[in-house]
Every structure is written in structure tokens, then in C-alpha cells.
Amino acid sequence: MKGRHRSAGSSGAALKMGAAAVAVLVVLAGSWYAFRKFSQTSCGSSTKLTISAPADIAPALKLQAADWSAPGKSDDSCVDVEVIEAASADVAAAIAATSKKSLTGVGQANGKTRVPDIWVPDSSLWLQRLRAANPASVPTGATSIARSPIVVAVPEPIATTSFGWPNAKIKYTDLIAKVSGDQKVKLGIVEPSRDSTGLAGLMTLAAAATASGGGNATQATQIATAALRALAAGRSSLKDDLMQKFPRGSDPQALSAGLTVAPLSEQSVIQYNAQQPPVRIAAIYADPAPVALDYPFVVLNKDRAATAEQLLKSLSGESFRDRLGAIGLRGAVGAAGKGFQTPTNAPPALTASQVPEATAIEGLLTKWQAITLPARMLAVIDVSGSMLTKVPTAGGVDRMTVTLEAARRGMQLFDDSWALGVWTFSTQLDGAKDYKQLVPIGPLVSQRNQCLQALQAIRPKQNGDTALYDTILAGYKAVQAGWDNGRINSLIVMTDGENDDPAGGLSLDQLIAELKATADPAKPIQVILIGIGDKVGEGAMRQITDAVGGGTFVAPDPAKIGDIFLQAISPRPGGPTQVTFPLARSKDGPGPRDQSRPSFMSAQLPVGFAGLGLIQQH
């Protein structure tokens, strides 16, 4: 929306002349003078200001920007404001791309979206995610200009009969209990990696699922995993697609066939009901309240900071709040403007939301990716003699125990769409071969118990060495032989040592050459190497994964292998995995995060990520 300051003027009057020809000339001359006077601006200069905002707030911004830019400025300048509708995920991808980064589940920038002077994403969660990729990517201290709480959206007939709406006070733990105990409940969510509403709902539901375990870690894991799988089964790429899943009739058959529960913004419910659908949606304000959409005003172009500050002042007034109210949004502090259609039992004001740490957000999204992206994986586990080494930070159990526990807990997240195989390796495990197949790669729907039993039976080989390179090549070929176009195909190898094969075997250069010769660009395979302890050959491992695609992950403290395993099993389509993990370490010292701080996957988090059962509680 463009606005420009123009000065006022008056047309030159045509003089009455006796001769018709003279009269015509005078009229023409006067008209040209009037056009010039009207079209000339008194601005000393003109400034262009671009704003990117999602469609849910862009209409109000366009109207406000037009009003703000129309009056004359004290500095005799003009401002052309252009408000561009753009999805927050697309702008975030474009910003991340400026530092050659990408966000989990968002992918690369689309090439069309440009980084604006001012960005108004729907949530500060995007700012946290960008800071996780690059702390300097967005400025701090952004001001919120609007707000919309996240509610539990339920068709009104179901909300009344199943949840006691509008009288009952609902908690998210009640919702988890309902989902767990009633197979007819259909959960829905907009893809959390690209939608702030979905992400806020996912964080709250994950925490509630963990709390539902009542302190029993095993039960908490089972409930949380079941809840996340149910969400994954009902996810939609776009909000409009999700909204179409709500019941289109009030008869029992239509209600049972439609969507039952979904986290949505208050605005989405207001706008849906305004269309007078066959079945209205109730907005349930459950406890605890998820992180609300807060629409931060982010100045990305420092050269436009002064102008942006003037515009921001106009967004704090009553006129803008009324414009927000007309489209179902609240003002910055949660108060509603004129025209706001208040849902039943809606709070008159909102408390400020506590936005989780950036690493916590990415940690949960990594879990989500591990659940939602179907994969075909061969897991190869080191059973050499060094795996008997005790781990003091894990209560004195050996490396083999903590590794197998991490694998077992990680496998609980894999749904039946996954395919998995299990090998072990050391030296001469199966005749002359240094590796042994315990379970061939196959669908978990038919061999989950077989995989779990195989993990339980694994024991280290006393005095066994580490024929790592021969095993990697054999595993790569095994994955390639059954390559599946519909899945992320990967080889994951967990080892606590460098290649050590007394019988000779491949050298590093020979392995890389063989892998390159075997690789088929049309059939990509991710090679994921996990180092356990401080004796691994990290440099060589990185050379291997850099050559064929994948990632190298190292847990200097074997007790942290659960954290590393989770990061490693999260498939990332589109090329090699770029690894920056807080607990990872290279020869140059600690990674980008202070090693003295607790892991971001630990119990310190307010949203209970650790309870998802992928890591051990320390």
C-alpha cells in the first residue's frame, strides 16, 4: 500500500476573452498550470519503506500505513510505504539464507521473497528460531503490535458434550487424557515447522503429555509419543486445509467424520465463525495458555530505523487497535478494539507470553521431524571391546548400555511408516566379515518387536577391534540395494573408536573413493556417523560424511548419547546435514554453546521436552 504527501492547490481561472481562439488558449494554459500545481509535491525528499507481514494482519497495516504516510511531515519529506503480504516462514527462510543457514522444516528460501526493511512475523517464535541459526540474524527488543491467543478449537456440539464448554475450565492435561482414552477424537495441527500456531500448540501439548505420566518416566514417554503421533497423523501443510476438515454438518455421522480438536489462533476461530458455517467452532481457552501470536515489529534495515520508529508510534494508537479488532486481532497488550467479535468465555485481557529459548524450540522441532518424516534406516552399532568402558557420568554403566538405551528410546518415536534394520560390527563377527546382520531392513509395522529384541540381546565382543571403514561401505551398499523413493534413506553408524582392523581392510582414502564410485545422485543416501566418547576419529568421520552427504555427531561424554542420537535420526532432505550441536566437540575445542551449561534437552525446560523419552534424565 503506497501513500504519498501532496500539497494542495487551486486551478487558474480562464479569462473571458472576446476571441474564441484566445479563450481556448487561455483555458488550455490554465489547465496545464493546475495539473502542474496539483501534481507537484512539497516534499524535500522521498523515502521508500517496505514491510512484509502475513495475510492475517496485512490489511490493518495497509490501512494504517496509508493514513500515516498521507499527512505532511515536519521535516518536509515523504514516505512511500509498501506492505507486502508474505508468509512468516518464507521471510524467515530468506533472512536465514543471507547467512547461508536454513531452519528446521522450513527449507531453503523460495527465491521470490525478499528481505524487507520491516518485518512483522506472526510470532516472536520466528525470531528465536532465527537466532538459533545465527544470533545476529535479527535484532533484539522488537515491539509487539498485535496479539491473538492460541485456543483449542472444537466443534461446538462436541465442545459441549465432551468438554463441558462453556462452563468447565479445561486444562491441556484433560485434553491429553481425552485423546488417549477416546479413539474417536481426531487431532489436527498446522505443520509446526512452518506455522507459529502449530508450533505453540505442539509445545503445550508435548508438555501436557509429559505431565500426564504422573512422574513415571516410562508412562510419560508412551503418552507423549502417542500424542505426537496422533498430531502427526492429523497435520496439514496449510491452515486453510485444516479448517476444511471441521464437520460440515451437525448430525452424528458428520461430527464423527470431521476434525475434533486443533490448536488455532483466536482470530482463526472468529473469522471461521463469521462465515456462518453449518457447525460453529468453540474457542476453548485451556490452561496453561500457549505462547500467543504477538506480531513483533522488527526493523531489519538500520538505514530506515528513524522512519520505522515514527510508523511504530502510529501503531500504538486507538485507530490501529480498532482496525485490528475488525479483522479479529487484539491490540498489543491484549485489549480488543471496536468491531472485535469476542468469543464465548474469552478473557478480556491477556498476560504476556514467555517465549522459550531458541535451542528448546529447535530441540522440539527436531523430535517432530523424527516422527513425521518417514525414513528407511540401517542402524549399525559398534560392539568392539572398548564399548565395555564404564561411563562415570551415567552411574557407572558401560558405553554399550547407554548406546543401546538411546537407540531403544529413539526407536519409540518411529511410527509404523518407518523401515529399520539392525547390524552390529567389530572384527570377524560373522565368519570373516566384520559386521553381522541382526534384523534386515524392513517395515517396523511387522518387525518392531524383532528390532527391540535384537537391541536387547546385543553384547560387546571381548577384545574385538573396530573395522569401521569396511562396515560403512557394506552398510552403504545394503541401504542402496533396497533404496526407497518414498522415504529418507540413511545409514547410521555408532562407534566409540577410530578404524582399527588388524586384518587390513580399507584405508580412509580407499573408503571415500569406493563410496563416491558407488553413490548414485538419483538415489541419495544420508550417512550419519555418531562418535561416542573422546577417542573417536572425528576428522576422518567428517571427511566421509562430507564426501557422500550426511553428518557427523560426537558426544565426548557418552552419557549424552541420547541427545546426539535424537539430533542424528532427524532426517533432513535436500542434501548433507549441517551439524551445529551444543554437545558436539571438535579438535579446536567446544562448540558454539558453553559446555558448562546443561543440555537443552534436559529437565530444565518449562515445556518438558526431556519427558518425550529420547534422553536419559541426569
Side-chain angles (χ1 to χ4, degrees):
M1 182 72 187
K2 296 185 178 181
R4 181 178 296 277
H5 165 212
R6 295 181 178 177
S7 60
S10 60
S11 62
L15 302 177
K16 294 182 179 180
M17 304 294 294
V22 175
V24 170
L25 289 175
V26 172
V27 169
L28 291 175
S31 299
W32 181 81
Y33 168 79
F35 170 76
R36 285 293 303 272
K37 189 168 185 180
F38 270 114
S39 63
Q40 287 176 347
T41 177
S42 62
C43 298
S45 61
S46 180
T47 300
K48 176 78 173 181
L49 196 64
T50 59
I51 305 174
S52 286
D56 41 346
I57 194 174
L61 279 173
K62 289 179 180 180
L63 292 173
Q64 192 70 19
D67 282 357
W68 171 79
S69 59
K73 301 297 185 295
S74 59
D75 58 359
D76 197 32
S77 65
C78 294
V79 182
D80 286 345
V81 183
E82 182 178 11
V83 178
I84 305 166
E85 289 188 11
S88 298
D90 292 337
V91 180
I95 295 172
T98 61
S99 54
K100 298 181 179 179
K101 302 288 186 179
S102 62
L103 303 183
T104 301
V106 174
Q108 302 298 320
N110 59 25
K112 297 180 181 179
T113 305
R114 297 290 179 262
V115 177
D117 298 321
I118 299 169
W119 181 34
V120 182
D122 55 13
S123 172
S124 292
L125 291 171
W126 286 111
L127 308 186
Q128 293 290 69
R129 295 183 65 185
L130 283 165
R131 292 184 187 115
N134 176 12
S137 59
V138 289
T140 58
T143 300
S144 171
I145 63 170
R147 199 169 294 272
S148 188
I150 307 303
V151 301
V152 179
V154 182
E156 285 189 358
I158 298 176
T160 301
T161 58
S162 298
F163 295 95
W165 178 86
N167 299 318
K169 189 65 176 177
I170 305 298
K171 297 182 178 180
Y172 273 91
T173 49
D174 300 328
L175 177 60
I176 291 297
K178 185 68 175 176
V179 171
S180 302
D182 189 347
Q183 297 297 320
K184 295 180 181 179
V185 174
K186 294 181 177 64
L187 276 175
I189 194 169
V190 185
E191 173 55 50
S193 61
R194 292 186 58 87
D195 182 82
S196 299
T197 299
L199 178 54
L202 177 65
M203 289 189 294
T204 307
L205 286 166
T210 300
S212 296
N216 184 311
T218 300
Q219 186 176 1
T221 297
Q222 294 172 347
I223 294 174
T225 301
L228 292 184
R229 284 181 180 167
L231 281 171
R235 75 187 186 279
S236 298
S237 298
L238 301 173
K239 183 184 73 174
D240 289 345
D241 294 340
L242 181 74
M243 304 302 286
Q244 292 298 318
K245 296 180 181 180
F246 280 108
R248 294 298 171 181
S250 58
D251 58 283
Q253 184 177 357
L255 289 174
S256 63
L259 183 63
T260 308
V261 176
L264 288 171
S265 70
E266 180 185 65
Q267 181 197 36
S268 295
V269 174
I270 292 173
Q271 292 182 339
Y272 182 86
N273 288 337
Q275 298 172 4
Q276 298 183 347
V279 179
R280 290 172 56 86
I281 296 175
I284 298 177
Y285 298 81
D287 286 330
V291 177
L293 302 184
D294 60 346
Y295 300 92
F297 186 90
V298 186
V299 181
L300 299 176
N301 185 349
K302 294 180 180 179
D303 293 338
R304 297 288 186 268
T307 304
E309 183 65 26
Q310 295 180 42
L311 173 59
L312 178 59
K313 291 179 181 178
S314 80
L315 301 177
S316 61
E318 185 176 345
S319 63
F320 184 60
R321 187 167 63 251
D322 290 343
R323 282 171 171 148
L324 291 173
I327 58 174
L329 290 173
R330 298 171 182 245
V333 297
K338 293 179 180 178
F340 183 80
Q341 300 297 314
T342 307
T344 302
N345 282 353
L350 304 176
T351 57
S353 303
Q354 182 69 35
V355 180
E357 290 186 5
T359 46
I361 297 168
E362 289 304 302
L364 179 59
L365 286 174
T366 298
K367 293 183 180 72
W368 177 255
Q369 290 283 78
I371 292 175
T372 58
L373 292 180
R376 177 177 173 272
M377 176 185 293
L378 175 59
V380 184
I381 301 173
D382 188 347
V383 293
S384 60
S386 57
M387 291 292 283
L388 290 167
T389 303
K390 302 298 182 183
V391 182
T393 53
V397 300
D398 58 34
R399 292 176 178 177
M400 189 84 268
T401 299
V402 297
T403 300
L404 293 176
E405 179 65 7
R408 183 186 67 80
R409 293 192 176 200
M411 204 180 85
Q412 291 178 345
L413 271 187
F414 307 163
D415 66 19
D416 290 342
S417 68
W418 278 60
L420 181 68
V422 181
W423 287 14
T424 54
F425 82 99
S426 177
T427 48
Q428 297 183 335
L429 278 187
D430 188 9
K433 292 191 297 186
D434 299 317
Y435 46 87
K436 183 176 182 179
Q437 175 180 281
L438 303 183
V439 183
I441 303 175
L444 274 178
V445 66
S446 60
Q447 62 180 38
R448 183 181 297 273
N449 288 336
Q450 187 180 355
C451 289
L452 288 171
Q453 290 169 5
L455 291 174
Q456 187 175 359
I458 290 175
R459 299 290 184 273
K461 179 182 179 181
Q462 291 278 359
N463 302 318
D465 293 303
T466 310
L468 178 62
Y469 296 163
D470 284 5
T471 301
I472 290 174
L473 181 61
Y476 190 93
K477 290 180 177 180
V479 175
Q480 188 182 60
W483 192 87
D484 188 338
N485 185 48
R487 306 173 190 266
I488 305 298
N489 295 261
S490 58
L491 167 68
I492 181 169
V493 181
M494 292 171 275
T495 182
D496 75 338
E498 297 180 290
N499 182 69
D500 180 16
D501 187 354
L506 296 170
S507 67
L508 176 61
D509 290 340
Q510 289 172 331
L511 170 62
I512 292 175
E514 288 279 359
L515 287 172
K516 288 183 175 180
T518 304
D520 181 352
K523 298 180 178 180
I525 296 171
Q526 291 190 348
V527 177
I528 308 297
L529 303 182
I530 299 179
I532 306 164
D534 56 2
K535 303 297 183 183
V536 297
E538 182 178 355
M541 292 164 67
R542 291 193 184 279
Q543 288 185 55
I544 296 167
T545 55
D546 286 348
V548 295
T552 294
F553 301 77
V554 177
D557 179 359
K560 307 299 184 183
I561 184 62
D563 292 9
I564 294 290
F565 185 77
L566 171 63
Q567 184 81 351
I569 64 174
S570 299
R572 297 173 184 270
T577 300
Q578 300 299 318
V579 180
T580 305
F581 196 78
L583 298 175
R585 184 177 70 181
S586 69
K587 294 179 181 178
D588 298 325
R593 188 171 181 268
D594 185 352
Q595 298 293 301
S596 64
R597 294 179 61 191
S599 160
F600 70 73
M601 307 284 284
S602 70
Q604 67 172 357
L605 297 176
V607 289
F609 300 127
L612 294 179
L614 291 169
I615 65 171
Q616 301 174 57
Q617 305 297 308
H618 308 302

